[in-house]
Amino acid sequence: LNWSICMLLAIMYLFAIFITTLVMDSSAANSNDLPERALELYGSVIKTQYTLFMAISGGEPWTELIKPLNAISAWIRWLFLVYMILLVLGVMNTVQAVYVDALLHFSSIDRDLVMTERNFQEKRSLKKLRELLHNQPGQIEGMVTEKDVMEVLSGDGAGLLKSLGLQVSAAKALFRLLDVEDMRAVEVDEFVYGLLHLKGNSTTIHMTTLMYQSKRLLSKMLNIQTLIEEKVLPLMLGADPNLLGLEGAAGSLR
C-alpha cells in the first residue's frame, strides 16, 4: 500500500512540473492573453499539484479545471487528459485493488485470531469439565456414571457446557451412545473427547453419532457371538452347556 501511494504522488508531481512549466512559459510569452484562472490553478507546482489532486478526488469537476488550459495550448489540454486517463483508469484502480487486498489480509488475520482464541477457550472449558468429572466421589478410577454426569452438568459444569455451545440433552445422548456395555458408566476421557466431536456443523455431528452407534452395534454383535459359542454350539453338538461349565471348573481345580 505504501509503494502505491508513493507512485501516485510521484506521477502527480511529474505532471505538475510539466503543466506548470508550459503555463508559465505561455504566461511569459502572452501575459495579457492568459486567463486569470489559469494562474490561480496552475501558477506554481504546489498549486498545480493541488489542482490535479482535486481532479482525481472529486474536489472540482475536471471538465472545469481543464477549461483554462484550452485557452493556452492544445498540448497542455492533452497532457491533462493523459494524466486523468493514467490516474483514474490505471493507478487509482491499482491503489484500490491493493487497499482491498490489504483489508482482506487483515480480515483473515483477525478471523484466525478469533478462531485461535475460541479453540483455546473450548480446550480450557473441556479441561475444567474433565477435572470436575474426575473429582466426583465414589466413582471407579477413570470412570463416571450418568448420575454423576448429570450432577456436574446441572451444577458447576453448566456454564462450561454452555460455553461449548452444547445442551444437556446432547451430553446425555452422548453418554448413552458411549455406554456400549450398558454398564451405566463410561470413561471420563472418552466422554470429554466425545463432547469435543459434537462441536461443529451438522455433518460432523452426524458422523460422530454414526461412529458411536457403529461401536455400540459392534459390541452387541460380539456379545451375541460369545453367547452362541458358549451356549448354542454345545447344544447343537449334543452337549449340555452347564455340564461343560462344571467340567471346566473341575479341571481347573485339579
Side-chain angles (χ1 to χ4, degrees):
L1 186 60
N2 293 333
W3 69 264
S4 59
I5 295 177
C6 292
M7 182 178 64
L8 176 63
L9 294 175
I11 294 175
M12 190 181 299
Y13 180 72
L14 290 175
F15 274 89
I17 292 175
F18 293 146
I19 293 176
T20 303
T21 301
L22 293 174
V23 170
M24 297 310 295
D25 289 345
S26 179
S27 175
N30 305 294
S31 57
N32 296 329
D33 298 335
L34 194 67
E36 182 179 351
R37 184 155 170 77
L39 294 177
E40 179 183 344
L41 296 175
Y42 308 100
S44 65
V45 175
I46 299 298
K47 290 181 179 180
T48 305
Q49 280 186 293
Y50 181 71
T51 302
L52 294 178
F53 178 74
M54 286 196 301
I56 62 172
S57 62
E60 188 172 343
W62 67 270
T63 53
E64 296 295 327
L65 297 175
I66 200 176
K67 285 181 179 180
L69 301 178
N70 291 332
I72 299 175
S73 171
W75 290 106
I76 304 179
R77 179 181 62 192
W78 283 107
L79 186 62
F80 188 91
L81 290 175
V82 170
Y83 165 80
M84 291 299 301
I85 294 172
L86 182 63
L87 266 292
V88 175
L89 300 182
V91 178
M92 290 298 291
N93 287 337
T94 303
V95 172
Q96 290 176 3
V98 172
Y99 183 73
V100 171
D101 182 71
L103 287 179
L104 293 176
H105 177 68
F106 286 119
S107 176
S108 177
I109 293 177
D110 291 340
R111 186 165 54 252
D112 291 340
L113 290 175
V114 171
M115 291 299 297
T116 302
E117 178 65 20
R118 182 182 300 173
N119 291 335
F120 175 76
Q121 294 294 339
E122 289 179 356
K123 289 181 179 179
R124 187 169 65 177
S125 298
L126 288 171
K127 183 178 179 181
K128 290 182 179 179
L129 186 60
R130 180 176 178 271
E131 293 175 355
L132 289 175
L133 293 173
H134 271 298
N135 293 333
Q136 288 298 299
Q139 64 171 342
I140 305 175
E141 183 66 25
M143 304 292 288
V144 64
T145 64
E146 184 177 2
K147 179 182 178 181
D148 291 335
V149 170
M150 293 300 105
E151 288 180 357
V152 170
L153 297 183
S154 60
D156 297 336
L160 298 175
L161 191 65
K162 185 177 180 181
S163 65
L164 294 172
L166 299 174
Q167 297 179 353
V168 177
S169 58
K172 190 174 182 179
L174 174 65
F175 185 93
R176 293 177 178 175
L177 284 174
L178 295 176
D179 187 18
V180 294
E181 301 290 342
D182 292 326
M183 298 171 56
R184 304 298 180 186
V186 298
E187 294 183 4
V188 174
D189 292 340
E190 187 178 15
F191 179 74
V192 174
Y193 185 71
L195 288 178
L196 181 62
H197 274 73
L198 288 180
K199 294 286 297 176
N201 52 33
S202 58
T203 303
T204 304
I205 295 174
H206 288 321
M207 290 297 295
T208 304
T209 304
L210 288 175
M211 180 180 67
Y212 287 125
Q213 286 179 344
S214 299
K215 184 177 179 181
R216 187 180 184 88
L217 181 60
L218 178 61
S219 177
K220 290 185 176 182
M221 291 178 65
L222 290 176
N223 291 336
I224 293 174
Q225 179 181 352
T226 303
L227 180 63
I228 292 174
E229 291 176 352
E230 294 179 354
K231 301 295 184 180
V232 178
L233 287 179
L235 289 175
M236 294 178 65
L237 296 174
D240 189 350
N242 295 324
L243 292 178
L244 291 177
L246 291 175
E247 291 176 358
S252 62
L253 290 175
R254 289 197 297 271

